[in-house]
Amino acid sequence: MQTENSIFARLTELKLIVVTGKGGVGKSTLTSVLGRLFADAGRQTFLVEVDPRENLHQLLGVPPSGGDIVEVAPRLRVQHIEPRTILDDLVREKLKVDVVASKVLASPVHKHFTEGAPGLKEAAVFGRILRLLRGHTPRGIPTPDVVILDAPATGHGVSWLAAAQLVADVISSGPIGHLAAEVAAFLKDNQQSGVVVITTGEEMPVQETLELIHSMRIRLNQAPELVIANALYPTLPPEIPAEGEDPLFDLWYSRRQINDSELERLDEGWLGPLAELPILPIEPGPALVGRLSRYLKRELETGS
Ligand SMILES: Nc1ncnc2c1ncn2[C@@H]1O[C@H](COP(=O)(O)OP(=O)(O)OP(=O)(O)O)[C@@H](O)[C@H]1O
Ligand SMILES: [Mg+2]
């Protein structure tokens, strides 16, 4: 039974969820999973990805977005956003005369600035997301209740989350300064936006997760809404065969031992909500997303 104060209920109140974590831990998979759950719960849900490899569509079983908003299921849509394109659009919007806009866009100064300015691309992506949430969607496409951003692997630190503030600190006026300040305020507002961190039960991802939580606290005075420990091996049975008797069992045993000790370490450093998901022998695609959705729903409804 879903309780009033379950994690799921809390997550569904948010307008923006940023899914982040180390490379390859399941960010795109769980962005898709969260999308399914929210759409099923009646929320108009947009999934946004910025990774040029574009892989959400494969997980959801639809054609690649290529920049368009693609409908996946009732109330579930996906869009690939190219940060560069947004910045170019911004220039076009502000410089209404096409010839001038084309000149600016082609100029090395513009290219240099948009490529090199720290945080600019990230702030622009969040700016686009804010516009979607405010109803600036193409004709016939509903305003999303929630946007889930499949954020790129950031390595250590909080670069994606801190980017807008960084820009706002440097550029205080003009359209970009304005946008960055608005985005930074939105990301700080924990009634509207939240972070979900994905990890696996392995040493490096757990280490990065603990470091991310630490730097979120120190630099942003924030904490994730939820940490998901993904792709865990099944818990071990009471009867353990002797080592060498069954190589497959030995593999399972050693993987799960690592999972156990890393989950323990995570538990010591993270006192907030934690969901655990199994590793499933299913290829990336809608079947994997569907199965994981059922597991995650159960985890989130217990209100742990
Ligand atoms: N619980 C799971 N069970 C089985 N396979 C999984 C599970 N979670 C993720 N995978 C698989 O692991 C691989 C990596 O997942 P995914 O692409 O979602 O990670 P990512 O964090 O988005 O990676 P990247 O940092 O490269 O964007 C994919 O092949 C995916 O299908
Ligand atoms: Mg990914």
Side-chain angles (χ1 to χ4, degrees):
M1 262 283 284
Q2 185 172 327
T3 53
E4 276 289 297
N5 55 1
S6 72
I7 317 297
F8 189 65
R10 158 80 189 143
L11 287 178
T12 55
E13 283 165 12
L14 298 171
K15 291 196 159 86
L16 170 65
I17 292 176
V18 180
V19 177
T20 187
K22 186 175 161 50
V25 291
K27 295 180 296 296
S28 301
T29 306
L30 287 162
T31 297
S32 309
V33 166
L34 286 168
R36 281 247 174 251
L37 291 182
F38 285 14
D40 288 351
R43 308 271 286 157
Q44 283 291 349
T45 308
F46 275 35
L47 310 182
V48 168
E49 74 177 330
V50 290
D51 188 336
R53 293 171 303 173
E54 257 200 79
N55 49 22
L56 285 184
H57 69 277
Q58 194 205 347
L59 287 156
L60 294 161
V62 292
S65 144
D68 294 333
I69 297 173
V70 176
E71 185 166 1
V72 178
R75 298 178 297 281
L76 183 60
R77 290 177 169 78
V78 60
Q79 183 176 27
H80 179 262
I81 289 183
E82 223 284 289
R84 186 61 219 244
T85 318
I86 308 174
L87 289 167
D88 290 357
D89 286 352
L90 215 62
V91 168
R92 259 190 225 102
E93 223 171 83
K94 296 296 158 197
L95 305 173
K96 299 240 160 41
V97 187
D98 267 359
V99 194
V100 182
S102 316
K103 277 205 174 134
V104 171
L105 290 175
S107 77
V109 175
H110 170 73
K111 282 213 177 89
H112 187 74
F113 178 66
T114 52
E115 290 300 325
L120 194 57
K121 285 200 240 174
E122 292 86 345
V125 169
F126 284 121
R128 175 58 60 93
I129 290 173
L130 269 192
R131 288 184 58 150
L132 284 172
L133 287 166
R134 287 174 183 163
H136 295 272
T137 50
R139 189 183 270 273
I141 297 197
T143 304
D145 297 316
V146 56
V147 172
I148 307 176
L149 172 67
D150 178 8
T154 48
H156 302 264
V158 287
S159 59
W160 260 84
L161 303 168
Q165 190 58 56
L166 199 70
V167 176
D169 289 346
V170 179
I171 311 171
S172 56
S173 60
I176 290 182
H178 236 99
L179 176 89
E182 232 182 322
V183 166
F186 186 82
L187 291 174
K188 269 193 207 128
D189 181 354
N190 65 8
Q191 297 303 308
Q192 302 205 79
S193 102
V195 175
V196 172
V197 184
I198 317 298
T199 183
T200 55
E202 282 155 358
E203 190 187 345
M204 287 313 291
V206 166
Q207 186 58 33
E208 278 198 25
T209 299
L210 292 172
E211 285 170 13
L212 180 70
I213 292 169
H214 178 74
S215 54
M216 272 183 79
R217 189 163 49 226
I218 300 298
R219 285 185 59 192
L220 307 170
N221 195 23
Q222 285 177 339
E225 292 298 324
L226 169 71
V227 175
I228 300 177
N230 182 35
L232 300 175
Y233 282 77
T235 45
L236 296 163
E239 297 283 310
I240 311 268
E243 199 182 338
E245 208 172 277
D246 179 353
L248 259 184
F249 186 90
D250 291 349
L251 178 68
W252 171 15
Y253 182 83
S254 72
R255 303 312 302 177
R256 183 64 213 192
Q257 290 277 5
I258 294 171
N259 285 170
D260 282 340
S261 64
E262 291 306 323
L263 284 173
E264 213 176 294
R265 201 156 69 93
L266 189 59
D267 227 34
E268 281 162 16
W270 168 242
L271 305 176
L274 176 72
E276 296 183 14
L277 292 179
I279 188 161
L280 297 176
I282 307 176
E283 288 298 308
L288 176 65
V289 170
R291 281 283 294 278
L292 286 174
S293 303
R294 290 199 282 281
Y295 278 103
L296 186 60
K297 185 145 193 266
R298 219 177 304 146
E299 286 282 293
L300 298 185
E301 282 178 352
T302 57
S304 64

